[in-house]
Amino acid sequence: MLAEIAHRAVSSVIVEGSLPDLPPFPPSLSERAGAFVSLYVRGELRGCMGQVENPGPLADVVARSAISAALHDSRFSPIAPEEIPALKVEISVLSVPAPILPEAIVVGTDGLLVTTESHKGLLLPQVASERNWTAIRFLDETCIKAGLPRDAWRESATKIFGFTAQVYSEKETRSDSST
């Protein structure tokens, strides 16, 4: 059902030029949860956006994140109407981030959020395992994603949070995953 929500949101905005009418959802999709939506066209990443802090109902977070990924991921041009039939989505529903020590990070299980007063970077759990990174490399890359020096996670002003993700995927193959 989450994939349907993401597809409907993207299709409505891109093809119809309007926000989708979303039907009432079961209680499980109305619970507050953070999520990221990754969009793929013919196996290529075309956008990835999400919400971690102050999440709303899961269905709304997925719809908003799908629209943002389709239109506003600065790494890519917006999804075009002719790409919609080939669109595949991957949705990562996140646990609440909690402080984690570097030595406690489990690659493939934990995602990372690194924050300072003015920077923030997040990488999903599947990124490190897909790229065969060690926990240290995962920390370095999350800092780079935040716009920080790669070893900024060693500084006391840098906060490290871990989270898990329940991944729902309809994608086939892909060549990249980010975020």
Side-chain angles (χ1 to χ4, degrees), residues 116-131:
T116 65
E117 274 190 32
S118 58
H119 293 84
K120 187 181 308 184
L122 180 144
L123 288 174
L124 297 170
Q126 55 269 40
V127 173
S129 59
E130 290 171 355
R131 296 182 182 178

Side-chain angles (χ1 to χ4, degrees), residues 3 5 8 12 61 71 74 76 82 87 92 112 136 165 171:
I5 292 167
R8 183 182 300 178
S12 291
V61 170
L71 300 175
S74 61
F76 305 99
E82 59 272 12
L87 186 70
S92 298
L112 294 178
I136 299 302
K171 63 181 180 41

Side-chain angles (χ1 to χ4, degrees), residues 4 29 62 66 94 98 103 119 128 132 167:
E4 292 171 28
L29 297 183
V62 167
L94 311 182
E103 58 272 16
H119 293 84
N132 252 355
V167 180

Side-chain angles (χ1 to χ4, degrees), residues 131-167:
R131 296 182 182 178
N132 252 355
W133 289 345
T134 64
I136 299 302
R137 173 83 187 269
F138 195 21
L139 281 162
D140 288 347
E141 295 294 336
T142 308
C143 287
I144 291 168
K145 178 86 187 254
L148 296 166
R150 72 179 329 109
D151 62 350
W153 59 270
R154 298 178 188 273
E155 302 295 324
S156 61
T158 303
K159 306 294 183 234
I160 306 167
F161 298 90
F163 59 89
T164 58
Q166 192 169 11
V167 180

Side-chain angles (χ1 to χ4, degrees), residues 25-26 32-33 45 51 54 57 61 74 86 94 106 112 122 125 149-150 176 179:
F25 297 106
R32 298 175 75 75
L45 181 66
Q51 183 177 353
N54 303 316
V61 170
S74 61
L94 311 182
V106 178
L112 294 178
L122 180 144
R150 72 179 329 109
D176 187 15
T179 306

Side-chain angles (χ1 to χ4, degrees), residues 9 15 17 26 28 38 40-41 61 73 75 81 86 104 111 113 116 120 171:
V15 175
S28 63
S38 301
Y40 298 87
V41 175
V61 170
D73 188 329
R75 299 169 294 175
L113 171 64
T116 65
K120 187 181 308 184
K171 63 181 180 41

